[in-house]
Amino acid sequence: MSRFILQRLLQGIVVIIAVISITFLIIRLGPGSPFANEREMPDYVRENLDRLYGLDQPLIVQLGRNLWSFITLDLPVSYRLKGWNVGEIIAQGMPVSFTVGGAAFIIAVLVGVPAGAIAALRAGKFEDRFTMAVSTLGVCIPSLVLGPLFALLFGLQLHWFNTAGWYDADDWVLPSLTLGLISAAAVARLTRGGLRETLAQDYIRTARAKGVSETTIVMRHAFRLACLPLLNYLGPLAAGLLSGSFVTETVFQLPGLGRHFISSALHKDFTLAMALAAFFATLIVVFNLLVDILQAYLNPRIRLK
Amino acid sequence: MLPMSWIARLLLPLLLLGTLAVLHYHGKNRPQRVTAAATSRTLLIGNGTDIQSLDPHVVTGQPEHWVITSLFEGLVAPDPANPDLDAPGLASSWQSPDFQTWTFELRPDATWSDGTPITSADYLYSFQRILSPELGSPYAEMLYLLKGAAQFHSGKTKDFSTVGVSTPNPHRLILTLEGPAPYFPGMLKHYTWFPVPRHVIERFGTMTTRDTPWARPGHIVSSGPFTLKDWRINHFIAVEKNPRYWDAATTKLNAIHFFPIDNPESEERVFLDGQLHITYTVPLAKIPRYRETKPPFFHQGPELACEFYRLNTTRPPFDNPKVRQALALAIDRVSLVDQVIRSGHLPATGLTPPGAHPDYKPLNILRFDPSAARTLLAEAGFPGGKGFRKMEILTNTSPSARTIAEFFQESWKKHLGIEIGILQQEWQVYIDSQQSLNYDLSRAGWVGDYADPFTFLGIFRSGDGNNNTGWSSPRYDELMLTATREPDTARRIAAMQEAEALLLADMPIIPIFWRMNSNLIRPEVKNWHHSVLSHRPYKTLTISP
């Protein structure tokens, strides 16, 4: 077990370094410069800046320098937010994204799993059709639509919450609901699929034949196995939600990480883009590892080597 | 008695209803943020995108301008009653016998917010800092009016004493310009001319070290009516009254909070929800309705800004002036502005917008004449658009830029029979394509930096970094030189008008409209005055409770 974890962590480090390098190359090889400005600066000023930041060096040297600064955790400064180090920028946005994303994740699970389970247990009946119709809608509606709808209804009309902003203790509610309900739709569909498949297995029929109560069958026997496909989805989902969402953060004006993902790429602020990519890759690696461990625990047929 | 499961089934909806009722009661009694802010005399302002820095020497944008001018002040300040006029700032008075040598008397009582006196040495230091090529300031050209500044900035000389700045004593500053410039005091309201605190900057590095944290909360000291209290990235910037400001007795507000809200729809919702006093902008799609219904909080005012298209004159067929003129004549600006954009912009009849100078009458040259356009195009060798090569209009990705490009596309197809595509590029890429002349036609905009037509006309001189059309004309350059050297206002204005007429006859650009600025302002904000140059005298603003 510990050997497996160590192995996966080492693999994770390689993945993170690869992600940082690819992010750097994609942004640096594309057109545009971090110093481009509507007012053109004289060539000698541009050359000066390039020299100062080492952008006049061969690409491989630049990549090496940047990687080294990440490996030694001597994080570089952002090109756009002058005077801020990329670590500080992430540290400021992280609590917000973690709060909103964490709450969204809990909502997704608390709403999605029971809804999917009810649909699976009442397959073909009204409850099933209703839940699946709503979840299909949830999968289709983008947060770009649901977010402003929530803001208009619960903010501007009913005044239950602030329409946007990050000031009051309850400001996480609308963005987390937006993100959580949309993710809950996918969770419900996966839960339903997994549970229905498991309930049709031989060992469930055996259990039923032995007269085990339906509650025990579902809760103890079926659910453990039915969770496996869901878990595979929940790992990346958690990483995605915790690292912030561009759309939701823009609609609700949250000072999280999601907006930096887009703006750093658009402004060619490649140090910040690399840091964010590394951060996201770390989350993915960690959650995937957690999922693997959980799966081994839930399914005795999986052995971690 | 009811079984347990029934009790549970009953309790659940009751609990749900109870929660909703509590939420609703709580919501109805939720105080608006603006109400609490009015009591503490805090102004809440939407400020567009997050700012890049508070160091006045390394930034260029409008959001930066609005925060920096609350913290810092220059020699000259905007007049509170009409911000486009000049009032004394850190200089109590100034005079110039010839508009070329300017003597400023500095206030002996002016200090930085930590109590350190502001002296003429601070200006000398600041001008040298922004003009040092090692700092790489993107806006240093604003100071090229100073004698010898361009030579120093380009590294031709390392000796700053060759630049026209002298400090005979700690409270007197003499600036010598390249030529007479009557509009010079107005230019000094721009943040590139503001002094920066040497004693704080050098605590973190040398004069030209970039990316030090001197301009962050806890370190920065300022010279204006407010000081920086807090700055959270993408969240807010809070400034509070500076008790050491020389005119602190005038400052009415206790604090200002700037919110970086880059999505206009979100910003409007936040405003209507009572969380902002002043918005940065208004969603484009909502402006026509606000213009009709005229709610008291809707404000519009002209901006010293022109939207235009650049034509790449280094590429055929745009090396032929007739083609350029034909394209310009085929555009019906009035229809575009009144029926398509509907935001109240003014159809441009020239390049320099009204309000750039009291004596400069905007030129009335541009017109819509499709038949003349067809004739010109035929004379250029493309009768009915035949043989015109395929090309694209380069724009950035904003939806309004796309709408305008589609109007041009349609007009040229209809009136001239030529097919032109649209190419949208992300901002940094679009800027890069334009500056490397890697385009045929490109959308562009220019916002004036100071109240003089030169701020618009200057960029089309040969080789100017912002020309970006490949166009050059010796006569135009000569007239522009006159504009920088001529002491007589009437003759100077005449030279600039002749230059603009020449530019529009040769048409390396197609001006489209003069921009109108829209925003939402709550009625309790008092002493707000519109400025074509976006100056805001924050110190006299008040909020009536």
Side-chain angles (χ1 to χ4, degrees):
Chain A
M1 180 81 161
S2 53
R3 203 181 136 191
F4 167 80
I5 294 177
L6 197 71
Q7 219 172 26
R8 288 293 298 267
L9 282 177
L10 285 177
Q11 280 173 5
I13 290 171
V14 175
V15 167
I16 293 166
I17 290 176
V19 166
I20 296 179
S21 311
I22 293 169
T23 310
F24 172 82
L25 289 176
I26 289 177
I27 297 188
R28 285 298 288 149
L29 289 177
S33 143
F35 307 122
N37 193 297
E38 199 160 17
R39 291 166 197 282
E40 180 154 341
M41 48 174 99
D43 288 340
Y44 49 88
V45 174
R46 175 79 65 96
E47 283 159 17
N48 238 318
L49 285 177
D50 282 349
R51 196 163 36 224
L52 201 64
Y53 289 94
L55 301 185
D56 56 342
Q57 302 284 325
L59 211 58
I60 189 78
V61 177
Q62 294 181 35
L63 175 64
R65 278 186 182 175
N66 277 294
L67 272 180
W68 187 244
S69 66
F70 277 97
I71 291 167
T72 53
L73 291 181
D74 176 22
L75 296 178
V77 288
S78 152
Y79 279 81
R80 199 181 93 80
L81 298 161
K82 297 171 176 67
W84 295 88
N85 153 325
V86 293
E88 294 173 303
I89 297 172
I90 292 186
Q92 276 204 14
M94 202 168 68
V96 181
S97 289
F98 272 25
T99 310
V100 172
F105 183 77
I106 294 171
I107 292 171
V109 174
L110 285 187
V111 174
V113 172
I118 290 171
L121 295 174
R122 313 279 299 164
K125 306 232 168 61
F126 168 74
E127 288 92 329
D128 183 21
R129 280 196 221 132
F130 179 74
T131 319
M132 282 307 108
V134 173
S135 73
T136 309
L137 208 67
V139 172
C140 299
I141 294 182
S143 50
L144 188 63
V145 176
L146 195 63
L149 270 179
F150 278 179
L152 282 176
L153 180 64
F154 299 117
L156 266 189
Q157 285 299 317
L158 297 167
H159 295 288
W160 290 0
F161 302 99
N162 287 323
T163 48
W166 191 251
Y167 327 106
D168 295 340
D170 57 4
D171 278 336
W172 58 271
V173 175
L174 293 185
S176 296
L177 269 183
T178 306
L179 283 172
L181 290 181
I182 285 173
S183 315
V187 170
R189 299 186 74 80
L190 279 169
T191 310
R192 177 182 179 272
L195 199 56
R196 282 205 64 181
E197 207 175 296
T198 318
L199 284 173
Q201 301 269 332
D202 290 344
Y203 75 93
I204 297 290
R205 200 175 46 206
T206 315
R208 281 201 178 117
K210 283 163 86 178
V212 181
S213 82
E214 193 65 21
T215 317
T216 318
I217 289 178
V218 174
M219 298 311 267
R220 275 201 58 188
H221 300 290
F223 211 75
R224 272 175 79 152
L225 206 62
C227 278
L228 296 181
L230 179 65
L231 271 179
N232 275 329
Y233 176 73
L234 289 182
L237 177 72
L241 288 175
L242 292 180
S243 58
S245 143
F246 171 71
V247 172
T248 316
E249 284 178 13
T250 306
V251 169
F252 292 104
Q253 286 306 311
L254 306 177
L257 296 173
R259 282 154 84 186
H260 290 310
F261 272 91
I262 304 292
S263 79
S264 64
L266 291 185
H267 292 104
K268 301 275 159 190
D269 185 355
F270 57 86
T271 45
L272 183 56
M274 285 159 84
L276 288 165
F279 177 76
F280 186 53
T282 311
L283 284 181
I284 292 268
V285 166
V286 169
F287 280 101
N288 275 343
L289 183 62
L290 281 180
V291 166
D292 284 340
I293 297 171
L294 260 176
Q295 283 189 332
Y297 168 74
L298 288 172
N299 186 354
R301 279 179 293 187
I302 300 176
R303 285 279 164 267
L304 299 181
K305 284 195 196 99
Chain B
M1 210 178 113
L2 284 166
M4 279 304 282
S5 65
W6 275 99
I7 295 178
R9 280 183 200 188
L10 260 175
L11 268 180
L12 203 68
L14 274 178
L15 207 70
L16 207 69
L17 274 176
T19 314
L20 292 186
V22 168
L23 271 176
H24 199 65
Y25 176 78
H26 171 69
K28 284 287 160 211
N29 296 297
R30 176 185 276 269
Q32 283 195 316
R33 192 163 292 276
V34 282
T35 320
T39 320
S40 64
R41 279 187 288 162
T42 301
L43 189 69
L44 310 176
I45 303 184
N47 202 47
T49 54
D50 204 6
I51 65 166
Q52 298 197 15
S53 174
L54 285 174
D55 180 344
H57 289 172
V58 300
V59 297
T60 54
Q62 182 80 282
E64 284 83 357
H65 165 79
W66 277 334
V67 182
I68 285 174
T69 50
S70 75
L71 296 172
F72 293 94
E73 192 173 78
L75 294 160
V76 178
D79 185 295
N82 178 355
D84 291 321
L85 299 180
D86 306 330
L90 292 178
S92 53
S93 67
W94 54 86
Q95 45 117 348
S96 171
D98 55 358
F99 297 127
Q100 187 165 4
T101 307
W102 295 78
T103 307
F104 294 86
E105 302 301 333
L106 310 183
R107 290 178 194 281
D109 55 337
T111 65
W112 295 103
S113 52
D114 61 355
T116 313
I118 304 176
T119 65
S120 54
D122 285 300
Y123 294 89
L124 184 76
Y125 177 80
S126 303
F127 298 159
Q128 183 174 354
R129 182 173 185 258
I130 190 171
L131 286 170
S132 293
E134 296 80 26
L135 183 73
S137 169
Y139 225 153
E141 277 173 273
M142 278 291 282
L143 276 79
Y144 277 16
L145 208 61
L146 273 181
K147 192 164 166 279
Q151 283 81 354
F152 183 79
H153 187 224
S154 58
K156 287 194 188 105
T157 169
K158 297 262 174 225
D159 180 9
F160 194 70
S161 67
T162 56
V163 181
V165 186
S166 75
T167 53
N169 70 53
H171 301 300
R172 179 170 295 163
L173 179 71
I174 301 174
L175 301 180
T176 312
L177 311 185
E178 287 283 356
Y183 57 91
F184 185 54
M187 204 169 176
L188 296 175
K189 292 186 285 186
H190 193 274
Y191 57 78
T192 43
W193 291 91
F194 292 179
V196 290
R198 173 182 196 160
H199 62 293
V200 179
I201 291 173
E202 300 204 335
R203 211 178 289 154
F204 297 92
T206 66
M207 177 195 267
T208 54
T209 316
R210 283 177 68 99
D211 302 326
T212 72
W214 81 264
R216 282 175 39 182
H219 308 313
I220 190 172
V221 299
S222 55
S223 56
F226 295 89
T227 56
L228 182 66
K229 183 156 182 253
D230 202 0
W231 173 11
R232 308 284 304 168
I233 297 170
N234 269 347
H235 196 183
F236 66 87
I237 292 172
V239 302
E240 59 185 2
K241 185 174 172 172
N242 174 7
R244 288 204 167 100
Y245 175 56
W246 66 270
D247 198 15
T250 309
T251 314
K252 304 283 189 299
L253 295 169
N254 281 329
I256 306 175
H257 291 180
F258 297 92
F259 297 96
I261 311 183
D262 44 17
N263 179 280
E265 284 78 18
S266 292
E267 190 190 37
E268 188 199 26
R269 277 198 298 274
V270 166
F271 177 84
L272 297 175
D273 193 29
Q275 294 184 44
L276 278 186
H277 288 110
I278 301 170
T279 65
Y280 184 76
T281 183
V282 178
L284 217 60
K286 299 287 183 65
I287 295 177
R289 225 193 64 203
Y290 279 136
R291 282 171 60 80
E292 271 170 37
T293 54
K294 296 191 178 65
F297 54 79
F298 177 66
H299 289 248
Q300 264 201 324
E303 225 182 315
L304 205 60
C306 186
E307 183 88 9
F308 60 91
Y309 270 18
R310 284 195 168 96
L311 303 172
N312 185 350
T313 62
T314 63
R315 285 190 186 175
F318 296 128
D319 52 350
N320 185 343
K322 285 188 174 166
V323 174
R324 306 198 292 256
Q325 288 155 359
L327 258 56
L329 281 168
I331 299 300
D332 182 1
R333 292 170 185 76
V334 178
S335 302
L336 171 70
V337 166
D338 291 347
Q339 283 151 37
V340 182
I341 314 177
R342 299 196 299 150
S343 296
H345 300 308
L346 298 170
T349 56
L351 170 67
T352 309
H357 192 284
D359 299 335
Y360 195 93
K361 243 184 103 209
L363 264 60
N364 191 359
I365 290 182
L366 301 172
R367 62 201 162 91
F368 171 53
D369 188 345
S371 69
R374 275 190 291 274
T375 315
L376 276 169
L377 197 67
E379 283 173 19
F382 305 102
K386 275 188 202 74
F388 204 84
R389 115 181 125 79
K390 267 209 159 313
M391 60 178 73
E392 281 161 331
I393 302 172
L394 172 69
T395 80
N396 53 311
T397 49
S398 86
S400 65
R402 170 114 207 156
T403 310
I404 296 168
E406 280 166 356
F407 183 87
F408 273 67
Q409 189 181 33
E410 181 58 30
S411 303
W412 287 332
K413 192 177 169 186
K414 190 170 153 198
H415 302 304
L416 301 177
I418 55 183
E419 295 269 359
I420 288 185
I422 297 171
L423 174 68
Q424 291 193 293
Q425 289 182 340
E426 291 300 344
W427 189 256
Q428 303 297 94
V429 184
Y430 148 81
I431 294 288
D432 202 55
S433 304
Q434 229 178 129
Q435 292 175 351
S436 52
L437 288 182
N438 184 18
Y439 73 92
D440 290 309
L441 297 134
S442 167
R443 176 258 145 201
W446 193 255
V447 183
D449 292 315
Y450 47 91
D452 191 82
F454 198 83
T455 188
F456 287 91
L457 300 174
I459 62 174
F460 294 104
R461 286 173 295 179
S462 309
D464 189 282
N466 292 302
N467 180 319
N468 292 337
T469 59
W471 182 76
S472 98
S473 149
R475 175 70 188 145
Y476 187 86
D477 295 345
E478 205 183 301
L479 289 164
M480 284 287 101
L481 200 66
T482 311
T484 53
R485 297 276 158 87
E486 176 59 60
D488 179 67
T489 306
R491 278 205 290 270
R492 191 173 167 266
I493 294 286
M496 288 195 287
Q497 293 211 307
E498 190 189 333
E500 185 171 343
L502 196 153
L503 177 79
L504 295 177
D506 228 27
M507 243 3 138
I509 55 162
I510 306 178
I512 311 169
F513 56 77
W514 293 315
R515 276 189 220 157
M516 200 69 150
N517 178 53
S518 307
N519 57 357
L520 308 176
I521 305 175
R522 291 187 70 89
E524 60 260 37
V525 177
K526 303 292 178 206
N527 295 338
W528 176 270
H529 299 285
H530 179 77
S531 152
V532 294
L533 283 165
S534 307
H535 288 305
R536 292 174 172 177
Y538 289 110
K539 61 181 170 188
T540 49
L541 286 183
T542 55
I543 317 170
S544 64

